[in-house]
Amino acid sequence: MAGATEHAEQAVQALRVAQDALLSYLASIGLAHDGTAGPDGAWRTGLDAETDRPAQPVPDGAPPPPLGRWWAARVAELTGHGSAAERDESAAADGADLLRRVAAGVKAGDRGRLHRELGGVEAPVGLGLSALAPPVLHRLAGDLLRHRPRAEDLEQLTKQAGPRVRELLPNLPPEVLETQFRRICRVPAEREEGPPPHPADAAVAASVLTGVLLQMLHREPDSLDPTAPEPVESAESHA
């Protein structure tokens, strides 16, 4: 039952990531969630204006105009930096590598490194952490608690790991971190009023929390294999 619940949660989280990415894309082109025009109508005004003047060709060899870097901008805000990190050709190419790099930044206590590592990747790589990290978090927390996380562990785990995450992500909304701990302990998240959290928040919080739990277990970042997390050791195995 626990395994089935975990797989179901991963599937739901993957759907949330896809939904968040789609909503962000619709917002970027001026459409509402149902595909209709946004409230400001700016997209139509822009199109009308474009029809009144001929298109300007891009000079040969000139780079295409840059797209808005919403992911990097949000990472900069969460980590307390004023500007988005530059794209880095040496940035992590997949979520597993990114998760290990973030864990190394957590171990070093370097918010600047977290800003560069997380902000230097493309948005799909970063958003993928929302689906990659939850099973890893559940197992790391289980290793720390010496049993599978449960509802009564919520307060203890929050007190132990929460302050470190907030130190590294000073502008993370509190409810986002609370939701992460609730998911680890299989406690239903409370429904919040108001707008939904930013799509990047859960991914960034989950990756940093992974690094924090890894550090609390005195394990090296390179030992982390998100595709095959270590099994939870039960208390009975040490009896």
Side-chain angles (χ1 to χ4, degrees):
M1 181 64 71
T5 300
E6 183 172 312
H7 285 301
E9 183 176 273
Q10 293 180 48
V12 170
Q13 189 61 39
L15 289 174
R16 287 174 178 166
V17 171
Q19 181 185 44
D20 289 341
L22 178 59
L23 291 176
S24 298
Y25 170 72
L26 292 175
S28 69
I29 62 175
L31 297 180
H33 68 279
D34 57 357
T36 60
D40 57 4
W43 68 279
R44 187 176 297 279
T45 302
L47 287 179
D48 292 341
E50 287 296 325
T51 59
D52 294 335
R53 63 175 184 266
Q56 299 296 320
V58 177
D60 292 339
L67 297 175
R69 301 207 60 213
W70 62 269
W71 165 265
R74 184 58 177 175
V75 169
E77 183 174 349
L78 294 175
T79 56
H81 284 73
S83 58
E86 296 294 331
R87 279 197 176 94
D88 188 352
E89 293 184 358
S90 64
D94 58 61
D97 185 23
L98 180 57
L99 201 58
R100 285 188 287 268
R101 294 189 187 203
V102 170
V106 170
K107 180 182 178 181
D110 189 347
R111 280 198 288 125
R113 181 171 179 175
L114 294 177
H115 170 241
R116 293 189 300 272
E117 295 288 6
L118 284 164
V121 302
E122 298 292 340
V125 176
L127 287 172
L129 294 172
S130 292
L132 184 66
V136 181
L137 284 170
H138 187 71
R139 285 171 169 81
L140 290 177
D143 288 348
L144 185 66
L145 296 166
R146 308 304 293 272
H147 59 256
R148 292 190 180 278
R150 45 184 182 249
E152 50 265 37
D153 299 315
L154 178 60
E155 183 177 358
Q156 175 188 349
L157 195 61
T158 301
K159 288 182 177 179
Q160 287 182 327
R164 182 64 172 149
V165 177
R166 289 190 289 270
E167 178 184 345
L168 294 167
L169 299 174
N171 295 324
L172 179 71
E175 62 273 14
V176 173
L177 183 57
E178 179 184 352
T179 298
Q180 292 294 323
F181 285 120
R182 283 177 170 271
R183 287 175 178 168
I184 291 173
C185 297
R186 301 294 192 257
V187 178
E190 296 180 352
R191 186 176 298 276
E192 298 287 341
E193 298 294 334
H198 192 284
D201 290 2
V204 173
S207 65
V208 172
L209 181 54
T210 297
V212 169
L213 293 183
L214 203 67
Q215 185 180 28
M216 293 173 68
L217 287 164
H218 305 289
R219 297 178 185 172
E220 293 298 319
D222 289 342
S223 69
L224 181 62
D225 182 2
T227 61
E230 296 182 53
V232 175
E233 298 183 23
S234 64
E236 289 79 7
S237 64
H238 296 276

